[in-house]
Amino acid sequence: MLLRPLLLLAAIAGLCTPLPADDARADLPKVVLVGDSIRMSYAPTVISQLDGVATVFSPKANGQDSRNVLRHLDAWVIEQKPDVVHFNCGIHDTKKFHETGRFQVPPDQYAANLRAIVEQIRSRTDAVILFATTTPILDDRAAKARAGRDYALLNASVEQYNAIAREVMADLKVPVVDLNAVISSPPQPHTTGELIDADGVHMTAPARTLLGKYVAGAIREKVGTPSKP
């Protein structure tokens, strides 16, 4: 005869059981990271730094150039219903082909693509947007690593495209996270040569951690929580 009361008590107790971790995190702000292989390399540090502060979605795919980011904006950003979007694109855009002297994405088209990305995110979500500058290239290493390819990656092109991006973001009032400055003028005891890999483009382990913490700090400012040490 005691079975039914005991079952009732158990059911009531079950209603009071704390929510699973995944459900508890449903109330956290959602952050989307979009970008090229540099983003992919620092994303794990961002996720670790924002643990308990925000849920982070970082697509497995390389974002590549601005045209490709725009093409995949629905899946990578809009459908995620983000609170914060941190994006970058630029290195792939600046591929300069030896035969024609043209860029993979011409400067005017790069500007138009960036503007379209921001405008679509703003019109279709309520997310705060952050844009990250393209990290520097060490020309000698990049040329050696890409000998025989039909294109060059040059730091002068990065500077040109970062200037375009800053102008677009200033016009659209989008905060810029200056990852280029973090690597080109790094905090002690780091040096730029130590932070950029042998291929002249990608980041070494210390740089990935440095960038990840810097990006996480910029995002924390938008979700209103103090930074981790």
Side-chain angles (χ1 to χ4, degrees):
M1 298 295 294
L2 291 175
L3 183 59
R4 286 188 178 181
L6 287 173
L7 288 173
L8 180 60
L9 287 172
I12 293 172
L15 292 175
C16 299
T17 301
L19 289 172
D22 288 346
D23 291 338
R25 288 170 179 263
D27 291 334
L28 294 177
K30 186 166 189 180
V31 174
V32 169
L33 302 178
V34 173
D36 53 36
S37 57
I38 305 301
R39 178 270 308 179
M40 296 168 74
S41 71
Y42 63 66
T45 299
V46 176
I47 292 169
S48 174
Q49 288 285 305
L50 295 181
D51 184 39
V53 174
T55 58
V56 180
F57 173 74
S58 182
K60 293 182 180 180
N62 187 327
Q64 300 182 15
D65 63 28
S66 58
R67 185 186 295 116
N68 194 56
V69 171
L70 188 57
R71 185 182 301 124
H72 291 90
L73 206 59
D74 276 8
W76 291 348
V77 178
I78 308 303
E79 293 174 9
Q80 304 305 318
K81 300 180 180 178
D83 296 290
V84 178
V85 177
H86 180 281
F87 83 100
N88 83 288
C89 41
I91 291 178
H92 288 264
D93 298 80
T94 68
K95 287 181 178 178
K96 194 169 188 178
F97 294 94
H98 299 304
E99 185 174 344
T100 63
R102 295 179 180 176
F103 294 106
Q104 179 160 304
V105 177
D108 57 343
Q109 188 60 55
Y110 180 64
N113 289 346
L114 293 183
R115 188 174 293 276
I117 289 167
V118 171
E119 290 175 348
Q120 284 203 35
I121 294 172
R122 280 183 169 165
S123 67
R124 301 172 66 190
T125 77
D126 295 320
V128 172
I129 304 172
L130 299 171
F131 177 80
T133 55
T134 298
T135 48
I137 288 173
L138 296 180
D139 289 346
D140 54 345
R141 296 184 192 178
K144 184 176 180 180
R146 290 161 185 80
R149 298 193 190 182
D150 63 349
Y151 68 89
L153 291 174
L154 301 168
N155 195 56
S157 302
V158 166
E159 292 178 355
Q160 177 185 353
Y161 276 56
N162 275 340
I164 293 169
R166 288 190 182 96
E167 184 175 347
V168 170
M169 298 308 153
D171 184 47
L172 297 176
K173 296 180 172 55
V174 173
V176 173
V177 182
D178 199 353
L179 300 188
N180 185 281
V182 174
I183 302 302
S184 61
S185 302
Q188 294 294 331
H190 301 293
T191 65
T192 300
E194 169 210 356
L195 296 175
I196 298 178
D197 212 341
D199 71 353
V201 174
H202 294 96
M203 301 293 106
T204 61
R208 294 195 292 269
T209 299
L210 187 65
L211 290 178
K213 288 184 175 181
Y214 192 80
V215 169
I219 292 170
R220 279 174 174 272
E221 290 183 6
K222 300 306 177 183
V223 297
T225 59
S227 296
K228 287 187 178 182

